[in-house]
Amino acid sequence: MEVGEASTITCFPTTEQNPLQNPNLLVNQQTETKLQNPKTTKGRQKIEIKEIKEVNRRQVTFSKRRSGLFKKAAELSVLSGAQIGIVTFSRCDRIYTFGNVDTLIEKYLHKTTVMLRSHPGGEVANGEEGDEGVMWWEREVESVAEEEMEEYKNALSVLRDNLWTRICELGGDRTVEMNVPALMNPTVMNDHRGHGGNDHGGLEFAMVPFMSPNARQ
Amino acid sequence: MEVGEASTITCFPTTEQNPLQNPNLLVNQQTETKLQNPKTTKGRQKIEIKEIKEVNRRQVTFSKRRSGLFKKAAELSVLSGAQIGIVTFSRCDRIYTFGNVDTLIEKYLHKTTVMLRSHPGGEVANGEEGDEGVMWWEREVESVAEEEMEEYKNALSVLRDNLWTRICELGGDRTVEMNVPALMNPTVMNDHRGHGGNDHGGLEFAMVPFMSPNARQ
DNA sequence: GCCTATGAATAAGT
DNA sequence: ACTTATTCATAGGC
């Protein structure tokens, strides 16, 4: 089908013509409809699903379709009672989220973790005799003998290095509220622009909640 | 607009009639179209966006709309060059994901973590004198006094709880391929059913690489 | 899962 | 942001 093809033939299947238009125009609109309004728009055009080159058009599309996506997600969530979380990084790494992402991430990781646990690479969680075969961070800390503390210190050191390297690297970003479909709470986070508001509904992450026994003040 | 209203008048704006229908029926379908096909369907009905009570209908809707959502996400991703991850927990807690969720979670956590660092709840990372004002896991382990070890044990306990839930996801999760929009890789994960394949493109988290000084064997 | 009629999303233009 | 004409998604039925 070509673009210009269908434009010539237009058909109104439904009876109503202009549900909510300016009443002033209703009088003599029939006479010169074509002249006044030859073809206001070509309507929605078919587009190929491939990266949009033109920056402006791409941004518009991103914005519109993101809204549409979030709306769909909200509807799906309500209709089916499912929990949905969406994380979107725009091309320039601005992040937009939908739903209670933190909670869902936690749940996701938990699930995969549990999965790991019940079907470990080696074997784990066959706890028969004490803590043997259990990941060390799973063990009760109280069961650690005093003389093992030195080793723990080393383990913690490596842990710290790994964690810190992995997770904390650069700049500071904040969270900005977005237009909401009135159902869940999509949010936008920018990289370096301040904005106090951040409801951050739920979750605080792993290492966040507690400070060092030493660093407190 | 009522349901039955538009049903009487049907209009084909486009020229083609039946793009791909059974050729056998093309001969004399005109004569008794109404009898053979008085109204095959009522078409798409308007529905309220509220939880669907009927289980069957709810499941169908969940399935259909989830597909639609993932397709939209795939299109948005391609069109705008954005990265999109979706995590969905069905009502019975079956998880469906779209996109490279692991990578995006990592990126998300990274961003939020960084956020914390540069804008801490109390104040941190103003390190002037020694370790003061530094996140505890940042400190040199050697600088910890012996008498602080008890507190470290507690900290580690909490850390263990939090981390365990969150981070160790690899190895063990099975991923089942779903019908793909040919763009990204939506996946379904079930709770206890095996399936070797798991490309798991990317990410391993912090503590994974090393085992306990005690749990080794 | 496939089909159809209809509701909704959206590409362009303003 | 608003409008329109068109394409796309999908509710209900098989």
Side-chain angles (χ1 to χ4, degrees):
Chain A
M1 182 199 299
E2 283 304 314
V3 178
E5 184 177 0
S7 62
T8 53
I9 303 174
T10 307
C11 170
F12 284 84
T14 54
T15 51
E16 98 286 52
Q17 182 147 1
N18 288 310
L20 29 84
Q21 196 174 57
N22 187 343
N24 299 334
L25 297 177
L26 286 176
V27 184
N28 58 353
Q29 59 175 352
Q30 300 290 356
T31 58
E32 297 199 342
T33 278
K34 283 294 197 298
L35 295 178
Q36 292 286 343
N37 185 7
K39 191 58 83 175
T40 319
T41 74
K42 285 184 298 182
R44 176 176 176 174
Q45 300 296 293
K46 185 166 193 171
I47 63 168
E48 254 189 295
I49 302 302
K50 64 176 183 183
E51 176 150 6
I52 298 173
K53 301 297 183 184
E54 305 139 80
V55 179
N56 205 40
R57 212 162 66 83
R58 185 173 63 225
Q59 286 177 339
V60 171
T61 293
F62 178 64
S63 180
K64 284 183 174 181
R65 278 179 174 260
R66 180 167 36 76
S67 297
L69 186 72
F70 287 3
K71 184 180 178 187
K72 288 281 189 192
E75 290 183 353
L76 175 55
S77 174
V78 171
L79 288 171
S80 65
Q83 300 174 79
I84 304 178
I86 305 181
V87 175
T88 300
F89 287 92
S90 74
R91 155 160 312 192
C92 51
D93 258 9
R94 184 168 294 185
I95 179 173
Y96 301 82
T97 66
F98 169 86
N100 204 332
V101 173
D102 293 321
T103 302
L104 289 175
I105 286 179
E106 184 175 27
K107 202 167 174 180
Y108 173 79
L109 295 183
H110 183 68
K111 215 155 211 192
T112 46
T113 301
V114 168
M115 237 179 273
L116 199 187
R117 195 181 185 183
S118 63
H119 183 284
E123 82 286 18
V124 176
N126 273 332
E128 282 300 315
E129 28 147 6
D131 302 319
E132 302 302 331
V134 175
M135 300 292 215
W136 66 268
W137 57 82
E138 248 191 320
R139 298 177 59 191
E140 286 300 322
V141 189
E142 291 70 23
S143 69
V144 179
E146 277 304 315
E147 56 272 22
E148 292 173 353
M149 285 312 290
E150 187 66 29
E151 296 196 84
Y152 255 99
K153 272 167 64 177
N154 295 330
L156 184 58
S157 176
V158 180
L159 171 66
R160 186 241 299 135
D161 289 344
N162 285 335
L163 280 178
W164 184 250
T165 309
R166 230 39 130 95
I167 299 187
C168 322
E169 232 126 35
L170 33 103
D173 46 356
R174 311 292 148 83
T175 312
V176 180
E177 283 289 323
M178 228 177 64
N179 56 338
V180 186
L183 293 167
M184 298 185 98
N185 55 331
T187 54
V188 192
M189 296 160 56
N190 302 338
D191 282 277
H192 295 291
R193 304 195 294 125
H195 181 291
N198 171 18
D199 66 355
H200 213 265
L203 177 75
E204 51 276 281
F205 257 104
M207 353 187 4
V208 176
F210 64 104
M211 302 259 53
S212 164
N214 313 300
R216 60 160 175 254
Q217 66 181 28
Chain B
M1 183 203 297
E2 282 304 309
V3 178
E5 185 178 359
S7 62
T8 53
I9 303 174
T10 307
C11 171
F12 285 86
T14 54
T15 50
E16 96 286 55
Q17 181 149 359
N18 287 311
L20 30 84
Q21 196 174 58
N22 188 342
N24 299 334
L25 297 178
L26 286 175
V27 183
N28 58 351
Q29 59 175 352
Q30 300 288 357
T31 56
E32 297 198 343
T33 279
K34 283 294 196 299
L35 295 179
Q36 293 284 343
N37 186 8
K39 191 54 86 175
T40 319
T41 75
K42 284 184 299 181
R44 176 174 176 175
Q45 299 297 293
K46 187 166 191 171
I47 62 169
E48 254 189 296
I49 303 301
K50 64 176 183 182
E51 176 150 5
I52 298 174
K53 301 297 183 184
E54 305 139 78
V55 179
N56 206 40
R57 211 162 68 83
R58 185 173 63 225
Q59 286 177 338
V60 171
T61 293
F62 178 64
S63 180
K64 285 183 173 180
R65 277 179 175 261
R66 180 167 38 78
S67 298
L69 185 72
F70 287 3
K71 185 180 178 187
K72 288 281 190 191
E75 291 185 352
L76 175 55
S77 173
V78 171
L79 288 171
S80 65
Q83 301 174 78
I84 304 178
I86 305 180
V87 175
T88 301
F89 287 92
S90 73
R91 152 156 321 186
C92 51
D93 257 11
R94 184 167 294 186
I95 180 173
Y96 301 81
T97 67
F98 170 87
N100 204 334
V101 173
D102 293 321
T103 301
L104 289 175
I105 286 179
E106 183 176 29
K107 204 166 175 181
Y108 176 79
L109 295 184
H110 184 72
K111 239 176 184 173
T112 46
T113 301
V114 169
M115 223 182 293
L116 196 182
R117 191 186 188 184
S118 63
H119 183 283
E123 82 285 16
V124 177
N126 274 332
E128 283 299 316
E129 28 148 4
D131 301 321
E132 302 302 328
V134 176
M135 300 293 212
W136 66 268
W137 60 83
E138 251 191 318
R139 300 175 58 193
E140 286 300 322
V141 189
E142 291 70 25
S143 68
V144 179
E146 276 305 315
E147 56 271 21
E148 293 172 352
M149 285 310 291
E150 186 66 27
E151 297 196 82
Y152 254 100
K153 273 168 64 178
N154 296 330
L156 183 57
S157 176
V158 180
L159 172 66
R160 186 241 296 138
D161 290 342
N162 287 332
L163 281 177
W164 176 248
T165 318
R166 232 155 283 249
I167 295 186
C168 328
E169 89 252 15
L170 37 96
D173 63 333
R174 355 296 149 93
T175 324
V176 179
E177 284 291 321
M178 230 176 64
N179 58 337
V180 186
L183 296 168
M184 297 187 95
N185 56 332
T187 53
V188 190
M189 296 163 54
N190 301 337
D191 281 277
H192 294 292
R193 306 200 290 124
H195 181 291
N198 170 19
D199 68 355
H200 214 264
L203 174 74
E204 57 271 278
F205 249 116
M207 23 199 316
V208 175
F210 66 104
M211 304 257 40
S212 163
N214 312 303
R216 59 161 173 251
Q217 64 178 27

